[in-house]
Structure formats: C-alpha cells, structure tokens
Amino acid sequence: MDEGSADDLARALDATQRAPLLATDDVCCGNAGLAEALLAGADATCRPSLAEAARERLAASAARAAGRGAFALEGAPTGTPARLGFFRGLAGVGWAFLHAAGAIPSAPAVLAFAPAPRAPAAPGRAS
C-alpha cells in the first residue's frame, strides 16, 4: 500500500472509530457494519485499538438492545417480526459479535465481499 493510501485508510478508520452509536445495529448500515469495518482495519493495520473499539461499539449496541428489547434493524419498525438475514438482519448482528469475540477463525471481511481463505485440503482429497 502506498503512503497516500495508508494515510487515507488511517483517516477513514479514525473517523469510523469516532462515530457515535448509530440508530441501527445491522451490518448493512448500522453498528455491526462499523464494527466489522473496524475489525478489518485492525487486521489490515495491526492496530488492536480498532478491534477494541469494535467490541466497545457492539457492547453499547447490545446494552441499548437489552433496554428496549430488540436490536434496531434498518427499515424494520419497532414491534415488527425480526429480520433474520445477514446484511439487514439478526444473522449479521450475530456474526459481528462472534467475529469480535474471536469465535470465527479466519473470518473473512464480509463488507469486502471477499471469499474466506480456503482451508488446506485433507490428506488424500483433491482441493
């Protein structure tokens, strides 16, 4: 990465880290998405403080959800059935919590739409 790109990335990650808690919690447009961006940034830049900021954001999101009885999902009015999908639903929120906790080894950066790293083929099996 050239110096200008590294500076741009650092500024973007710093702005993401300073962002206030958003009104929604999903991966698409909410706090789980910002947490995912911070986790990817922590990996890309070797800045563990970004991963800690991701965990803090998710903890604040969870505390707010506990207080109101649900996570806020983009376009889902309060009191409606929960969305279960990934980008605008609870699956993505859950993924972000698992990723931040380190429970998903080799987790791909889901917002980059990149495939997960392939595991080596088992002995005697073609890959």
Side-chain angles (χ1 to χ4, degrees), residues 7-17 38:
D7 289 344
D8 289 346
L9 177 60
R11 279 193 300 277
L13 290 169
D14 290 342
T16 302
Q17 187 174 4
L38 291 168

Side-chain angles (χ1 to χ4, degrees), residues 27 73 83-98:
V27 168
L73 304 174
R83 288 195 174 128
L84 302 179
F86 191 86
F87 282 101
R88 294 179 68 188
L90 292 175
V93 174
W95 169 275
F97 277 92
L98 290 170

Side-chain angles (χ1 to χ4, degrees), residues 56-117:
E56 289 171 3
R57 176 172 293 276
L58 290 170
S61 174
R64 183 177 65 188
R68 67 178 172 210
F71 285 101
L73 304 174
E74 179 69 29
T78 303
T80 60
R83 288 195 174 128
L84 302 179
F86 191 86
F87 282 101
R88 294 179 68 188
L90 292 175
V93 174
W95 169 275
F97 277 92
L98 290 170
H99 187 191
I104 306 172
S106 302
V110 295
L111 298 181
F113 298 101

